[in-house]
């Protein structure tokens, strides 16, 4: 009989069951199963089995069940981050000058991206070009109690570069929004100026939101720029590999 098994054995059996089934079905079987599924040992084992643990995670993960689900779901929530689908998924597009364009790496007077998985970038023109995405966290599977109570880290990253023969400007603005799209937290970079005759290296910019309070339901990511020489065409800042991740 299952109830006669040592808890360590029962935990190993339960750990082989998909996590959603554990929470929605197995937890309702009996008090013993509920206590095991609500405890840390089962989720520590599942994290170990799927490679989600390490010295840092073991020290910092206060709620192992949430840690497991966040690790399992971790992915880039920005769609079409590198221009492989033209401007699809990007809204509120501002096409200053000749507008946004997608080019193949490394591009004229440019450099290859640090990751071989990135093949394209977006490039701006001689007046301000901006584009944005709004991420619906609930639609991505991050439930309200998790966002309000655990408040997992929201990590934002972007990459930008100029071309060697032209100067340019770059800006990043990310907002955490409520159900009614009120701004609950915001990170806005300074206007970053890249001089003419620069080295065309790709630079990563990042920001981590934490302890942002309850009520966050959306993330609004916006970036953009222009060139500083006002040359017709696409001599402005180049951006690619944008990302927003929810992390344990």
């Amino acid at each position: 009989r299952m109830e006669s098994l040592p808890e360590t054995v029962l935990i190993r059996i339960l750990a082989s069951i998909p996590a959603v089934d554990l929470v929605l079905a197995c937890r309702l079987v009996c008090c013993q199963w509920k206590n095991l599924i609500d405890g840390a040992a089962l989720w520590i084992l599942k994290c170990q089995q799927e490679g989600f643990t390490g010295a840092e995670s073991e020290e910092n993960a206060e709620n192992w069940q949430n840690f497991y689900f966040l690790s399992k779901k971790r992915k880039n929530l920005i769609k079409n981050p590198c221009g492989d689908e033209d401007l699809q998924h990007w809204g509120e597009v501002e096409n200053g000058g000749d507008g946004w364009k997608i080019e193949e790496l490394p591009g004229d007077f440019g450099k290859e991206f640090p990751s071989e998985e990135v093949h394209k970038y977006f490039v701006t023109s001689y007046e301000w070009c901006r584009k944005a995405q709004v991420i619906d966290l609930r639609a991505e599977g991050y439930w309200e109690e998790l966002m309000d109570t655990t408040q997992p880290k929201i990590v934002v990253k972007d990459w930008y570069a100029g071309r060697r023969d032209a100067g340019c400007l770059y800006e990043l603005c990310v907002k955490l929004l409520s159900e009614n799209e009120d701004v609950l937290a915001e990170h806005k970079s300074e206007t970053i100026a890249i001089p003419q005759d620069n080295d065309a290296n790709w630079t990563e910019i990042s920001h981590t939101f934490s302890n942002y309070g309850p009520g966050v339901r959306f993330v609004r990511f916006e970036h953009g720029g222009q060139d500083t020489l006002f040359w017709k065409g696409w001599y402005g800042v180049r951006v690619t590999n944008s990302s927003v991740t929810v992390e344990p």
Side-chain angles (χ1 to χ4, degrees), residues 12 15-16 42 44-53:
R12 290 196 169 275
S16 66
L42 171 62
I44 290 174
L45 179 57
K46 285 188 74 66
C47 286
Q48 290 172 340
Q49 289 174 340
E50 300 192 34
F52 296 151
T53 57

Side-chain angles (χ1 to χ4, degrees), residues 30-83:
C30 63
C31 289
Q32 183 190 27
W33 285 30
K34 177 182 180 297
N35 291 335
L36 291 178
I37 292 168
D38 289 346
L42 171 62
W43 298 101
I44 290 174
L45 179 57
K46 285 188 74 66
C47 286
Q48 290 172 340
Q49 289 174 340
E50 300 192 34
F52 296 151
T53 57
E56 181 179 353
S57 63
E58 289 185 20
E59 179 181 347
N60 295 332
E62 296 178 359
N63 185 324
W64 278 94
Q65 185 179 136
N66 284 344
F67 178 85
Y68 174 86
F69 278 107
L70 287 168
S71 299
K72 188 80 170 177
K73 292 180 64 63
R74 182 161 43 190
K75 65 175 183 177
N76 185 5
L77 301 178
I78 292 286
K79 297 178 174 62
N80 186 26
C82 304

Side-chain angles (χ1 to χ4, degrees), residues 199-234:
D199 58 14
N201 283 331
W202 286 94
T203 300
E204 183 183 51
I205 184 172
S206 66
H207 178 75
T208 299
F209 292 96
S210 59
N211 300 318
Y212 39 76
V216 172
R217 301 293 178 262
F218 302 94
V219 180
R220 186 182 185 278
F221 178 102
E222 178 186 297
H223 63 181
Q226 67 171 90
D227 79 25
T228 53
L229 301 175
F230 302 98
W231 288 348
K232 183 173 177 57
W234 296 274

Side-chain angles (χ1 to χ4, degrees), residues 1-196:
R1 296 171 60 86
M2 292 286 284
E3 60 265 27
S4 66
L5 292 174
E7 282 197 350
T8 54
V9 175
L10 184 53
I11 284 173
R12 290 196 169 275
I13 294 172
L14 291 173
S16 66
I17 298 172
V20 173
D21 293 334
L22 285 173
V23 174
L24 297 182
C26 298
R27 189 173 177 273
L28 305 178
V29 170
C30 63
C31 289
Q32 183 190 27
W33 285 30
K34 177 182 180 297
N35 291 335
L36 291 178
I37 292 168
D38 289 346
L42 171 62
W43 298 101
I44 290 174
L45 179 57
K46 285 188 74 66
C47 286
Q48 290 172 340
Q49 289 174 340
E50 300 192 34
F52 296 151
T53 57
E56 181 179 353
S57 63
E58 289 185 20
E59 179 181 347
N60 295 332
E62 296 178 359
N63 185 324
W64 278 94
Q65 185 179 136
N66 284 344
F67 178 85
Y68 174 86
F69 278 107
L70 287 168
S71 299
K72 188 80 170 177
K73 292 180 64 63
R74 182 161 43 190
K75 65 175 183 177
N76 185 5
L77 301 178
I78 292 286
K79 297 178 174 62
N80 186 26
C82 304
D84 294 318
E85 302 172 75
D86 197 50
L87 283 170
Q88 188 173 349
H89 304 296
W90 292 96
E92 304 177 49
V93 176
E94 180 180 343
N95 281 307
D98 289 320
W100 287 96
K101 184 182 179 184
I102 290 91
E103 295 181 344
E104 298 275 349
L105 281 158
D108 294 339
F109 296 92
K111 287 189 176 179
E112 291 288 356
F113 192 76
S115 170
E116 294 181 356
E117 296 178 357
V118 178
H119 305 289
K120 295 182 179 181
Y121 59 84
F122 303 91
V123 58
T124 59
S125 191
Y126 58 87
E127 291 180 351
W128 271 98
C129 298
R130 292 183 176 88
K131 58 187 177 70
Q133 279 192 40
V134 177
I135 299 164
D136 184 337
L137 293 170
R138 284 176 299 191
E140 296 291 345
Y142 299 98
W143 58 99
E144 295 181 2
E145 183 183 0
L146 175 74
M147 297 308 301
D148 292 346
T149 304
T150 303
Q151 296 177 31
K153 293 179 291 185
I154 300 175
V155 181
V156 179
K157 297 181 181 181
D158 201 18
W159 288 81
Y160 66 89
R163 47 184 287 162
R164 289 193 301 274
D165 60 341
C168 58
L169 303 175
Y170 166 83
E171 286 183 359
L172 170 69
C173 181
V174 184
K175 299 176 181 179
L176 305 187
L177 306 177
S178 70
E179 176 74 31
N180 299 320
E181 299 191 6
D182 299 319
V183 178
L184 302 180
E186 179 178 5
H187 172 74
K188 186 173 184 179
S189 72
E190 61 182 349
T191 300
I192 298 171
I194 300 175
Q196 191 176 10

